[in-house]
Amino acid sequence: MSGGVGGGGMAELAALLADGTRAGICLALLDGRAWTAGELARRAGVAPSTASEHLTRLVRGGLLVEERQGRHRYLRLAGPSVAQLIEDLAGHAPAPPTPTTSLRAARATAALAYARTCYDHLAGRLGVLLYDALLADGRLDRSSGLALTPDGWAWAAGLGVPVDVLRAARRPVVRDCLDWTERRPHLAGALGAALRRRFTELGWITQGAGRAVRLTPVGRPALAESLGVPVSALIPDTHPVPSSGRA
């Protein structure tokens, strides 16, 4: 993006995300996948030609990257730092005034609030619970900036997380990321991404619709034991009340 680090560059970035369609596209891509231009047009509820214009602006602005395979144009967020920016902005945005009224929409909102992907790591109530449990057990420490303690490294290795890869990663091992539904931090960074992958490999979590993540019947007690929390803490609300929320 042009404009350097001055106010002009910040204004350009703000202008990119000031449009509701472009902001919605970026939020959809927080699931970490690459979407086709047609899929994003349908998600945004706009014509393909309109979506193409927005996507081109987002790519030129450095927020998205594109790959072409045959006739298809695939787009994804440009990286973890962009995902952090989008999630942080969503966390500071006011809730929309229009309430969700259908039971189906309320359930979808509740599923996202309970557990979802934030680019490559877990967010929602489950992501915050993971963060809080690691702090409570002394596996994370934030007395002088968030850090993984020796007990944390041993815990991750015991789960089968490749800790040597984490130590060599160019991104921070651990980082907090403001959760837009809980309004509290969840765990991001290289460890957050590695735990999401490992929980999937173990069969503890599975991808639901869109960004939603579900704990499996095997995963709920296994994760509760690993984190030292009661199983009841990992049970989502099965009777959602229609309320406002972003998807």
Side-chain angles (χ1 to χ4, degrees):
M1 175 174 289
S2 63
V5 296
M10 185 179 295
E12 290 179 24
L13 175 61
L16 274 177
L17 294 172
D19 180 87
T21 297
R22 290 194 292 273
I25 286 171
C26 290
L27 284 170
L29 290 170
L30 276 176
D31 67 356
R33 298 179 298 166
W35 290 42
T36 67
E39 289 170 335
L40 289 169
R42 289 191 292 273
R43 174 62 185 264
V46 297
S49 59
T50 301
S52 181
E53 294 174 6
H54 287 301
L55 293 170
T56 296
R57 288 193 61 179
L58 290 168
V59 170
R60 288 176 178 170
L63 295 180
L64 304 187
V65 293
E66 66 176 350
E67 301 171 1
R68 292 187 180 271
Q69 294 186 11
R71 297 169 52 199
H72 294 293
R73 180 190 188 192
Y74 288 89
L75 298 111
R76 56 181 172 81
L77 295 180
S81 62
V82 174
Q84 178 185 357
L85 170 66
I86 301 302
E87 185 80 3
D88 284 350
L89 287 173
H92 286 89
T98 304
T100 297
T101 54
S102 73
L103 181 59
R104 180 179 179 181
R107 284 175 173 165
T109 298
L112 280 175
Y114 173 69
R116 64 183 181 276
T117 53
C118 176
Y119 190 60
D120 59 3
H121 55 272
L122 291 172
R125 186 156 62 89
L126 182 62
V128 171
L129 186 147
L130 171 65
Y131 179 94
D132 288 346
L134 295 181
L135 278 173
D137 279 355
R139 294 165 179 163
L140 285 177
D141 179 76
R142 58 181 177 189
S143 58
S144 57
L146 192 66
L148 191 62
T149 67
D151 284 347
W153 284 106
W155 173 79
L159 280 174
V161 172
V163 294
D164 290 341
V165 175
L166 290 186
R167 294 182 189 276
R170 297 178 61 184
R171 63 194 293 192
V173 174
V174 289
R175 176 179 66 75
D176 51 22
C177 181
L178 180 64
D179 196 280
W180 63 256
T181 51
E182 296 294 307
R183 305 294 169 130
R184 297 171 54 215
H186 60 243
L187 182 65
L191 178 62
L195 288 176
R196 180 199 167 192
R197 289 193 298 270
R198 186 58 181 152
F199 292 165
T200 301
E201 292 168 353
L202 291 169
W204 291 4
I205 62 172
T206 184
Q207 193 74 38
R211 294 173 59 196
V213 171
R214 294 194 301 264
L215 269 175
T216 66
V218 171
R220 184 169 290 114
L223 183 58
E225 180 179 2
S226 178
L227 296 179
V229 300
V231 174
S232 59
L234 297 175
I235 298 176
D237 182 6
T238 56
H239 298 88
V241 176
S243 61
S244 61
R246 287 179 298 275

